[in-house]
Amino acid sequence: MFLNGQRCKVASRLVRPGDRLRVGALPTAIAPAALTVLHEDAALIAIDKPVGMPSAPTAQAAAGSAQTVLEAQIGVRLFVVHRLDAATSGVLVFARTRTAAAALSQAFADQQVGKRYLALVAASPAAERGEIDQALGSARGRATLDPAGRAARTSWAVAERRADATLLAVEPHTGRMHQIRAHLASAGMPIIGDRLYGGRTAPRLMLHAAEVRLPLPSGELVIRSDSPFDRPPDSSP
């Protein structure tokens, strides 16, 4: 539910004359399938987010997000600690408690969380690996190369060379909007299916969050999702 354009998390919130309410509801006939849980414990839960599903509710998509669907699935309120673009699939982590949310959010902010993505690009890089260190700004819903923007650094390595595409293993060392998409495009390697950054047409954005490494008091927790790109790039995923 959204109250005056802001998400309302308190069911008992009082409203006043003139307040604007927006309530999203999924038609029962098209209720989403259960999300695949990759890891679950008392502090957090990680899922394999499908393509096309927002990570959390927005004013444009109040229902049907990974957060709302998973909350209904497990019957527990969850806290957002990071996000994936709706077009990106893979490992998405939620906290189950406020304490865990604060700790995980701080770990992401302090760049203590390791992340590995798989990206399918149409280019064939001459090198086997590289690093892109270019500050990013934003304009009109997309990331832009901007020396005055926020620092952004991305490492990449060739995972597999194919006849007409290259599979890259990508590690973002910072967490800027569209960082991987903008950085790879700036290096002449736009992701297949990424129309916003000049990628070749495909049924989906060929970007997948394959692994998240979380620092926990008991040791590092590694959560992985299988690659959806084990078939030819022009076939439906």
Side-chain angles (χ1 to χ4, degrees):
M1 180 177 72
F2 287 80
L3 175 62
N4 297 325
Q6 301 293 321
R7 189 180 181 214
C8 181
K9 299 180 180 180
V10 181
S12 59
R13 177 74 57 83
L14 295 176
V15 296
R16 298 179 176 84
D19 283 345
R20 291 176 291 109
L21 295 176
R22 180 174 179 177
V23 180
L26 286 172
T28 56
I30 57 171
L35 295 172
T36 299
V37 175
L38 300 172
H39 173 85
E40 184 175 9
D41 59 37
L44 62 90
I45 183 169
I47 62 165
D48 202 354
K49 188 188 83 65
V51 168
M53 177 176 280
S55 296
T58 66
Q60 292 73 36
S65 70
Q67 181 184 3
T68 53
V69 171
L70 187 58
E71 286 177 339
Q73 180 176 321
I74 66 175
V76 175
R77 181 189 174 189
L78 300 173
F79 300 85
V80 176
V81 294
H82 76 124
R83 297 171 188 260
L84 297 176
D85 292 343
T88 303
S89 58
V91 182
L92 181 63
V93 179
F94 293 98
R96 296 175 65 111
T97 68
R98 290 185 183 276
T99 300
L104 289 171
S105 295
Q106 192 62 52
F108 275 98
D110 293 342
Q111 300 172 23
Q112 296 176 346
V113 177
K115 293 171 284 184
R116 183 174 65 86
Y117 289 73
L118 294 174
L120 199 62
V121 302
S124 181
E128 290 298 309
R129 62 184 63 248
E131 184 171 285
I132 304 165
D133 191 349
Q134 294 184 329
L136 294 174
S138 62
R140 298 179 181 178
R142 58 174 291 163
T144 58
L145 301 183
D146 183 356
R150 302 177 69 187
R153 185 166 63 94
T154 304
S155 298
W156 60 268
V158 173
E160 180 186 354
R161 293 186 184 271
R162 302 181 181 179
D164 60 349
T166 303
L167 185 65
L168 301 179
V170 185
E171 293 205 17
H173 303 287
T174 47
R176 312 305 179 210
M177 182 188 77
H178 295 181
Q179 176 176 319
I180 293 174
R181 298 165 64 181
H183 269 175
L184 291 183
S186 74
M189 301 184 291
I191 300 171
I192 294 173
D194 194 350
R195 291 179 294 177
L196 189 61
Y197 294 95
R200 192 173 76 198
T201 300
R204 59 156 291 181
L205 175 68
M206 299 297 188
L207 181 63
H208 181 73
E211 180 179 286
V212 170
R213 304 184 301 276
L214 299 171
L216 301 179
S218 56
E220 185 178 66
L221 172 63
V222 181
I223 306 170
R224 296 187 177 94
S225 168
D226 292 338
S227 169
F229 306 143
D230 293 334
R231 61 187 70 189
D234 289 330
S235 64
S236 178

